[in-house]
């Protein structure tokens, strides 16, 4: 009988994730995919679910796989059935946990698994299994970090009652409104994650119950990880034992906790940051410091867009006020947008950690730019009296170019300094 007791996640050293790569051909006997089925008192559905899933994977999945039954302190015959299946079917194993909680079960099994791709699905198999390969393929190829099944995608086909439909859509609207979530379906019991991502992400996830999925997805999205969504065909299980009111209450508490943590910047999301992967701008160039080429490209793009925004705002503000006030207002708005864009796109800083400080430093850089551009306008006014609007714009373009060079140097060396050693390891 292959029943295992698993330890919790090990402490991982901080540091950014490496670039995603296609998974290599697996070693003999080592599964590429580990599908976890968390169960609590599921003696009725467990055996047909496992046999159906195993048959499907055997017939359609081109890599080695494992099915892990994670028993959450069941009090019926579920543990005995799980052990019997593990003894009979080579690709099935069972894990017994003495405490309830779907999130606890997933964290425990995923943290101890040796498979590079980790997935889970509900025991009722409400989701059509034909979506399983499309779910995990982007993770195997290195394209994405996590993958979720979505019942709310336009091409999904869903059969369920109006009560669950309303609860699901209302919950996802709450996530979009409160946490700015962009994924469409947080609660579908059909998800997968790369193991290298799970090793960094799972220790940050506090919930041990039904909110585990949502917390994992929100943190991953805020850290800039790529989440792949798969439209699914889904049929509601009328015999589901999920308590909607209690689950909804716990979820709302979780939303508040995560929102507060993100607002205070207390989560080390930089541990989940990835480089752009096989982007040519990330390749080392002879004689060029690492990352400088990519930063220059990103900074130039942001700079062009910021200059266009500045000129458009200046022209708008100039209709109702003088040149100096219009320039100051336009430069202030464009400077805030410029700092935010460079923070994320040019220098790869994600999350809200030190965001206020970065904006404050950006305003100092803005003051320098204001001095250059305002001084240029003052000099133009003193020389010509009442210059034409086109002349003012031309002077602003030249002044902005000078301010841009100085802004890049200050951003790179002061506002967003590289805090890693040349090897890429954090200090």
């Amino acid at each position: 009988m292959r029943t295992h007791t698993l330890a919790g996640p090990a402490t991982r050293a901080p540091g950014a994730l490496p670039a995603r790569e296609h998974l290599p051909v697996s070693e003999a006997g080592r599964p590429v995919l580990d599908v976890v089925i968390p169960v609590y008192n599921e003696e009725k559905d467990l055996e047909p679910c496992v046999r159906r899933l195993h048959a499907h994977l055997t017939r359609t999945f081109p890599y080695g796989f494992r099915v892990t039954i994670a028993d959450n302190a069941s009090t019926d015959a579920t543990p005995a059935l799980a052990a019997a299946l593990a003894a009979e079917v080579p690709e099935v194993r069972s894990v017994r946990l003495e405490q309830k909680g779907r999130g606890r079960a997933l964290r425990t099994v995923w943290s101890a698994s040796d498979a590079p791709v980790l997935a889970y699905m509900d025991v009722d198999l409400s989701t059509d299994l034909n979506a399983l390969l499309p779910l995990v393929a982007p993770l195997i190829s290195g394209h994405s970090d996590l993958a979720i099944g979505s019942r709310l995608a336009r091409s999904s086909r869903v059969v369920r009652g109006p009560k669950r439909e309303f609860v699901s859509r209302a919950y996802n609207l709450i996530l979009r409104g409160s946490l700015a979530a962009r994924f469409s379906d947080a609660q579908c019991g059909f998800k997968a994650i790369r193991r290298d991502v799970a090793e960094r992400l799972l220790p940050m996830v506090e919930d041990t119950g039904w909110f585990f999925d949502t917390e994992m997805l929100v943190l991953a999205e805020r850290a800039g990880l790529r989440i792949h969504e798969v439209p699914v065909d889904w049929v509601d299980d009328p015999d589901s034992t999920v308590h909607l009111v209690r689950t909804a209450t716990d979820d709302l508490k979780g939303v508040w906790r995560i929102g507060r943590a993100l607002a205070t910047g207390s989560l080390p999301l930089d541990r989940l940051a990835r480089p752009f992967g096989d982007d040519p701008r990330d390749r080392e160039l002879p004689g060029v410091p690492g990352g400088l080429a990519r930063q220059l490209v990103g900074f130039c793009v942001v700079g062009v867009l910021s200059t266009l925004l500045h000129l458009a705002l200046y022209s708008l503000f100039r209709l109702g006020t003088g040149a100096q006030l219009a320039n100051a207002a336009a430069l202030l708005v464009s400077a805030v947008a410029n700092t935010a864009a460079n923070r994320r796109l040019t220098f790869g800083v994600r999350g809200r950690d030190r965001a206020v400080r970065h904006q404050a430093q950006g305003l100092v850089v803005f003051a320098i730019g204001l001095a250059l551009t305002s001084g240029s306008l003052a000099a133009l006014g003193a020389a010509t009296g009442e210059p034409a609007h086109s002349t003012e714009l031309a002077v602003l373009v030249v002044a902005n170019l000078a301010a841009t060079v100085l802004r890049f140097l200050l951003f790179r060396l002061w506002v967003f300094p590289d805090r890693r050693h040349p090897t890429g390891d954090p200090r």
Side-chain angles (χ1 to χ4, degrees):
M1 181 184 301
R2 291 169 292 140
T3 302
H4 304 270
T5 301
L6 302 180
T11 303
R12 300 288 175 181
L17 285 163
R20 287 182 297 265
E21 295 181 353
H22 195 297
L23 294 176
V25 177
S26 62
E27 303 172 0
R30 180 189 177 194
V32 169
L33 173 67
D34 193 347
V35 183
V36 181
I37 304 176
V39 292
Y40 173 74
N41 289 347
E42 297 287 356
E43 59 182 6
K44 175 182 176 182
D45 295 330
L46 179 59
E47 183 171 357
C49 162
V50 172
R51 293 192 181 280
R52 179 182 165 196
L53 174 60
H54 181 268
H56 176 84
L57 288 170
T58 301
R59 185 177 69 256
T60 65
F61 194 67
Y63 302 95
F65 67 88
R66 177 192 300 134
V67 177
T68 300
I69 305 168
D71 174 40
N72 295 273
S74 295
T75 57
D76 62 358
T78 298
L81 289 172
L85 286 167
E88 177 185 347
V89 184
E91 291 82 12
V92 175
R93 70 169 180 170
S94 66
V95 175
R96 168 74 176 181
L97 291 90
E98 299 302 331
Q99 291 179 287
K100 290 178 61 178
R102 182 179 68 174
R104 178 181 288 107
L106 293 177
R107 178 189 289 111
T108 302
V109 177
W110 280 355
S111 299
S113 179
D114 60 345
V117 176
L118 312 167
Y120 95 89
M121 61 181 60
D122 293 334
V123 68
D124 54 22
L125 294 186
S126 296
T127 304
D128 182 9
L129 291 179
N130 287 328
L132 182 55
L133 185 55
L135 183 80
V136 301
L139 308 188
I140 294 173
S141 70
H143 175 270
S144 301
D145 298 293
L146 299 91
I148 64 174
S150 175
R151 300 162 296 183
L152 303 181
R154 290 185 178 182
S155 57
S156 297
R157 296 184 296 178
V158 177
V159 178
R160 62 176 167 181
K163 180 180 178 180
R164 286 185 175 272
E165 180 75 11
F166 172 79
V167 170
S168 180
R169 292 189 177 274
Y171 180 63
N172 282 281
L173 285 175
I174 291 173
L175 292 181
R176 289 176 177 268
S178 60
L179 299 178
R182 296 189 297 273
F183 48 84
S184 65
D185 192 351
Q187 295 176 312
C188 182
F190 193 70
K191 295 182 175 69
I193 184 172
R194 284 176 65 105
R195 188 185 65 184
D196 57 347
V197 176
E199 289 175 344
R200 304 280 182 91
L201 179 56
L202 295 185
M204 301 183 195
V205 180
E206 295 184 14
D207 192 80
T208 60
W210 292 96
F211 187 69
F212 174 89
D213 300 50
T214 301
E215 184 171 356
M216 179 180 68
L217 291 174
V218 169
L219 297 185
E221 187 175 75
R222 285 301 185 95
L225 298 181
R226 181 175 293 159
I227 301 175
H228 178 73
E229 295 198 14
V230 177
V232 297
D233 298 340
W234 193 85
V235 180
D236 187 20
D237 177 16
D239 298 325
S240 175
T241 58
V242 178
H243 194 286
L244 289 181
V245 176
R246 183 172 63 247
T247 300
T249 302
D250 291 341
D251 286 348
L252 292 177
K253 291 178 180 178
V255 169
W256 169 257
R257 175 174 55 80
I258 292 300
R260 183 176 56 187
L262 292 172
T264 58
S266 60
L267 294 168
L269 297 180
D270 56 335
R271 298 182 184 181
L272 300 173
R274 279 200 190 274
F276 286 106
D278 197 28
D279 193 316
R281 294 172 297 178
D282 285 327
R283 297 172 185 168
E284 294 184 2
L285 300 177
V288 178
L292 178 59
R294 180 183 59 78
Q295 290 179 356
L296 282 172
V297 172
F299 185 81
C300 288
V301 172
V302 173
V304 169
L305 295 177
S306 297
T307 299
L308 293 176
L309 175 63
H310 174 220
L311 295 177
L313 291 174
Y314 175 80
S315 299
L316 177 63
F317 295 154
R318 190 68 174 86
L319 297 176
T321 187
Q324 293 289 359
L325 185 58
N327 176 62
L331 194 57
L332 176 61
V333 175
S334 61
V336 172
N338 181 280
T339 300
N342 276 308
R343 182 178 188 268
R344 175 65 181 269
L345 302 177
T346 304
F347 298 97
V349 180
R350 294 177 171 85
R352 297 188 180 183
D353 187 28
R354 300 191 299 275
V356 175
R357 176 184 174 183
H358 290 157
Q359 281 292 349
Q361 292 173 308
L363 289 178
V364 174
V365 179
F366 149 75
I368 298 173
L370 177 61
L372 286 173
T373 54
S374 296
S376 300
L377 285 175
L380 177 64
T384 62
E386 294 184 3
H389 182 65
S390 59
T391 305
E392 289 181 343
L393 292 180
V395 169
L396 283 177
V397 169
V398 175
N400 266 305
L401 288 176
T404 296
V405 175
L406 182 59
R407 186 183 302 120
F408 176 75
L409 294 175
L410 289 174
F411 273 178
R412 181 175 171 83
L413 301 176
W414 179 50
V415 183
F416 308 110
D418 189 354
R419 299 178 179 275
R420 296 174 298 173
H421 290 301
T423 59
D425 294 329
R427 292 178 180 174

